[in-house]
Amino acid sequence: PDVDSWLAAALGEGPGHIYSRNTNPTVAVFEEKVRLLEGAQAATSFATGMAAISNTLFALLNTGDRVVSITDSYGGTSKIFLEIL
């Protein structure tokens, strides 16, 4: 309804959805249902498997960390391991 409400939603300090690729009512309901089914504190979802894989790797790995993986990983995953990380 106003800029202050938008800013609060954008910063995660208030309710609302500002851009459907980030959050939207349908995704929020899905994530809440998964959270409840799993008995978790929170849940998040991704548009693609590669988004989930890369987000997890970038969030958990630090410079110098090692990862053991199979040779025939999904191509995008192998590319992250071999060229980006």
Side-chain angles (χ1 to χ4, degrees), residues 49-50 53-54 57 69-84:
M50 198 62 233
I53 291 167
S54 60
L57 294 174
S69 178
I70 59 176
T71 303
D72 61 347
S73 293
Y74 172 69
T77 304
S78 293
K79 187 173 184 90
I80 288 176
F81 286 148
L82 299 172
E83 297 179 22
I84 297 172

Side-chain angles (χ1 to χ4, degrees), residues 4-85:
D4 291 332
S5 298
W6 178 88
L7 184 58
L11 296 174
E13 297 170 353
H17 305 283
I18 60 166
Y19 184 59
S20 66
R21 285 188 180 170
N22 295 340
T23 63
N24 66 57
T26 302
V27 171
V29 169
F30 170 74
E31 291 172 342
E32 178 63 8
K33 289 192 181 285
V34 170
R35 183 192 74 76
L36 292 170
L37 285 169
E38 295 295 327
Q41 289 182 332
T44 192
S45 59
F46 297 90
T48 67
M50 198 62 233
I53 291 167
S54 60
N55 183 70
T56 302
L57 294 174
F58 295 148
L60 298 178
L61 296 176
N62 294 304
T63 302
D65 286 352
R66 294 185 179 268
V67 175
V68 176
S69 178
I70 59 176
T71 303
D72 61 347
S73 293
Y74 172 69
T77 304
S78 293
K79 187 173 184 90
I80 288 176
F81 286 148
L82 299 172
E83 297 179 22
I84 297 172
L85 296 173

